Amino acid sequence: MRREEDFIPSPVATDVVIFTVIGNELNVLLVKRGKFAPLGWSLPGGFVGQREDLDESAVKTLREKTGVRNVYLEQLYTFGEPKRDPRGRVISIAYMALVDAQMVKLEKGKDTEGIKWLPVKKLPQLTFDHRQIIDYAKKRLIWKMEYTNVVFSLLPTYFSLTELQKVYEAILERDLDKRNFRRKFLSTGLIKETKKKSQGAHRPATLYNFAEKRLEYITNPFGQFLKK
Amino acid sequence: MRREEDFIPSPVATDVVIFTVIGNELNVLLVKRGKFAPLGWSLPGGFVGQREDLDESAVKTLREKTGVRNVYLEQLYTFGEPKRDPRGRVISIAYMALVDAQMVKLEKGKDTEGIKWLPVKKLPQLTFDHRQIIDYAKKRLIWKMEYTNVVFSLLPTYFSLTELQKVYEAILERDLDKRNFRRKFLSTGLIKETKKKSQGAHRPATLYNFAEKRLEYITNPFGQFLKK
DNA sequence: ACAAAAGTGTTGCGTCTACACCCATGG
DNA sequence: CCATGGGTGTAGACGCAACACTTTTGT
């Protein structure tokens, strides 16, 4: 069925789009390649080991760059256009991870000059097809925000409804109605009121936490989760 | 970042879940491996060539087995569990294709004893993790049926509303209300009435065709496309 | 007392669901 | 004329969008 020459294997890598929300903006973690060409900002990633599961490879990248584990991680898509890497063919399995920025300590690798959160709306030029991968990841994230409770990965354990709403607004890039948002979210049963209150200069907000920190599809009622 | 030994590349293959609807049932195309172990029913697939795009590789498999081209084809997910293939590590990029069974002429490959449509609800034991791949593909298909017009790939150019409904019912595995189905589908503007009529023993049905044979997300109104 | 953020209900509109009978044709 | 599948409308329930003021706290 296939020609013999075709059986020569290609290197396989994983690249991880790590998102977080900082100050009302969606940010992505990028590393500046400083040692090997092509230089410039890239997604963190690495080759998949011989005996390594694909998810493991992505988890390892995530742990090496951010120090976090046990966060939301999802396989997105596999990019394999033969010329996507100018140095030779590499097939890349893209992952998306969602983290609470407060939990992250950025750790520079030895091949990299820098590692930084950059706002998705104002990205510099990126190496390879990484811009395309991020665009795809963002679309998927928007979808997931509307139909699932993935948002829990972007927030600390205790949070106010306003903080929750701000995360949605940052990612959907539109304002939501406060009363409708609260009614809708509370009716899902995904979050529980706690006895804690926020502290600060103004009226303290009731803090909530998630009933279950695992991915749930919102089927109540069915239909788009958030309209306006 | 990665250990040297990890750079040894693994073979990469594509496996294609080819669906069609035959007689009110969703079917999948399987080949019976007759030459090389492990013997038994498998998804059609092949290794990705050195200079071959991933989509191309899937298209090639599809063409070799069914003779069709220009049908709906979508990358699904990449399976890479190190022991998924007992002969050694193979990373497999799964695709889903949708075809109109009438357009297909099954073509036996030289490594295969047989090639056959089998109903998804009563599959025999499959080799590797192919059962899992089909289960995943089916979930994705159900989703796409509800939110997009992918159904056009499963039907001939001209079709009646009843035929259209039967395809939905086969895949969603539930009955739909005839009046609601018609109203809903017609209101999307995705199909056009034609002057043709079906022939047969009873009252002739008006035949329709698709306004555009490209994938459209149904955003009218937003929300689940088909309830009951 | 004032600034700032938290919190709270109602109404109108549109979409979805459930449901039963007549129509056109071939045999 | 009968069997078979094609084709049609309405009413009630429910979810969604729009909208503005009061409360609580720290300073």
Side-chain angles (χ1 to χ4, degrees):
Chain A
M1 288 180 296
R2 293 295 152 89
R3 300 180 301 280
E4 271 311 314
E5 64 195 299
D6 283 345
F7 285 76
I8 302 160
S10 304
V12 176
T14 53
D15 285 312
V16 189
V17 180
I18 308 171
F19 282 132
T20 200
V21 173
I22 300 173
N24 297 344
E25 263 195 319
L26 182 64
N27 283 59
V28 61
L29 192 70
L30 294 172
V31 297
K32 187 152 197 174
R33 297 169 52 88
K35 210 162 175 180
F36 301 111
L39 305 179
W41 291 104
S42 311
L43 289 171
F47 289 97
V48 176
Q50 244 326 274
R51 288 169 207 80
E52 190 178 46
D53 197 5
L54 306 176
D55 292 358
E56 261 179 57
S57 166
V59 166
K60 193 198 279 185
T61 297
L62 188 62
R63 201 177 53 232
E64 284 173 359
K65 300 301 178 193
T66 68
V68 302
R69 43 179 90 200
N70 293 324
V71 295
Y72 182 76
L73 181 73
E74 172 187 0
Q75 193 195 106
L76 281 181
Y77 199 81
T78 298
F79 295 83
E81 201 278 305
K83 298 205 168 114
R84 57 180 291 281
D85 188 325
R87 298 164 300 174
R89 188 178 199 182
V90 178
I91 290 171
S92 169
I93 302 161
Y95 279 79
M96 173 172 78
L98 305 178
V99 302
D100 170 12
Q102 295 171 22
M103 293 288 97
V104 172
K105 269 238 302 273
L106 299 182
E107 299 182 28
K108 198 155 68 163
K110 51 185 182 322
D111 300 341
T112 53
E113 272 185 355
I115 177 164
K116 229 169 122 177
W117 291 113
L118 291 173
V120 171
K121 276 200 282 194
K122 319 160 199 143
L123 290 180
Q125 204 174 15
L126 304 185
T127 54
F128 317 115
D129 51 3
H130 288 185
R131 176 60 180 270
Q132 184 196 348
I133 296 176
I134 293 171
D135 289 346
Y136 181 79
K138 185 176 156 188
K139 274 191 207 154
R140 180 88 74 110
L141 174 60
I142 288 174
W143 187 89
K144 285 254 157 157
M145 292 291 284
E146 287 175 335
Y147 291 99
T148 77
N149 68 339
V150 273
V151 67
F152 75 78
S153 305
L154 294 161
L155 283 166
T157 307
Y158 296 94
F159 54 88
S160 70
L161 288 176
T162 301
E163 285 166 348
L164 181 63
Q165 183 175 343
K166 293 241 178 272
V167 171
Y168 269 90
E169 289 177 339
I171 293 169
L172 304 184
E173 292 177 24
R174 62 181 214 267
D175 291 340
L176 299 171
D177 181 273
K178 182 160 61 159
R179 279 171 292 189
N180 292 338
F181 181 86
R182 285 164 182 244
R183 188 179 25 253
K184 186 81 185 263
F185 220 105
L186 289 169
S187 78
T188 64
L190 294 170
I191 57 175
K192 294 196 310 272
E193 190 171 333
T194 70
K195 283 168 189 155
K196 294 183 197 285
K197 299 278 171 186
S198 66
Q199 311 203 340
H202 306 297
R203 175 173 175 178
T206 302
L207 297 184
Y208 290 78
N209 60 21
F210 285 94
E212 297 252 16
K213 285 205 168 189
R214 58 191 176 80
L215 190 63
E216 311 239 16
Y217 286 82
I218 294 166
T219 53
N220 171 18
F222 265 126
Q224 195 179 33
F225 182 48
L226 294 167
K227 286 252 172 80
K228 201 170 299 165
Chain B
M1 287 181 296
R2 292 296 151 89
R3 300 180 302 280
E4 271 311 315
E5 63 197 299
D6 284 343
F7 284 76
I8 302 161
S10 305
V12 176
T14 53
D15 286 312
V16 189
V17 181
I18 307 172
F19 282 132
T20 201
V21 172
I22 300 172
N24 297 344
E25 264 195 318
L26 182 65
N27 282 60
V28 62
L29 192 70
L30 294 174
V31 297
K32 186 150 195 175
R33 297 169 53 88
K35 209 161 176 180
F36 300 112
L39 305 179
W41 292 101
S42 312
L43 289 171
F47 289 97
V48 176
Q50 247 322 277
R51 289 170 206 80
E52 190 178 45
D53 197 4
L54 306 177
D55 292 358
E56 262 178 56
S57 166
V59 166
K60 192 197 280 185
T61 296
L62 188 61
R63 202 178 53 233
E64 284 173 358
K65 300 300 178 192
T66 68
V68 301
R69 43 180 92 202
N70 293 326
V71 295
Y72 182 76
L73 182 72
E74 172 188 359
Q75 192 196 107
L76 280 182
Y77 198 83
T78 298
F79 294 83
E81 201 278 306
K83 299 206 167 116
R84 57 180 291 281
D85 188 325
R87 299 164 298 175
R89 188 178 199 179
V90 178
I91 289 171
S92 168
I93 301 160
Y95 278 79
M96 174 173 77
L98 304 178
V99 302
D100 171 12
Q102 296 171 22
M103 293 288 96
V104 172
K105 269 239 303 271
L106 299 182
E107 299 183 28
K108 199 155 71 165
K110 51 182 183 319
D111 300 343
T112 54
E113 274 185 354
I115 177 164
K116 230 169 122 178
W117 290 114
L118 290 173
V120 172
K121 276 201 281 191
K122 318 161 199 142
L123 290 179
Q125 204 173 16
L126 304 185
T127 54
F128 316 117
D129 51 3
H130 288 185
R131 176 61 179 270
Q132 184 196 348
I133 295 176
I134 293 171
D135 289 346
Y136 182 78
K138 185 175 155 189
K139 273 190 206 156
R140 181 88 73 107
L141 174 60
I142 289 174
W143 188 88
K144 284 255 157 153
M145 291 291 284
E146 287 175 334
Y147 291 99
T148 77
N149 67 340
V150 274
V151 69
F152 75 80
S153 305
L154 294 162
L155 284 166
T157 308
Y158 296 94
F159 54 87
S160 70
L161 288 177
T162 300
E163 285 166 348
L164 181 63
Q165 185 175 341
K166 292 241 179 273
V167 171
Y168 270 91
E169 289 176 339
I171 293 168
L172 304 184
E173 291 176 25
R174 61 181 215 268
D175 291 339
L176 300 171
D177 181 274
K178 183 160 60 159
R179 280 170 292 190
N180 292 339
F181 181 86
R182 285 162 183 246
R183 189 179 25 252
K184 185 81 184 263
F185 221 105
L186 290 170
S187 78
T188 63
L190 294 171
I191 58 176
K192 293 197 310 272
E193 191 172 331
T194 70
K195 283 166 191 157
K196 295 183 196 285
K197 300 278 170 186
S198 66
Q199 311 203 339
H202 306 296
R203 175 174 175 179
T206 302
L207 298 183
Y208 291 78
N209 61 19
F210 285 94
E212 297 250 15
K213 285 208 168 188
R214 56 190 177 81
L215 191 63
E216 310 238 18
Y217 285 83
I218 294 168
T219 53
N220 171 16
F222 264 125
Q224 195 180 30
F225 182 47
L226 294 166
K227 287 254 171 79
K228 201 169 307 165

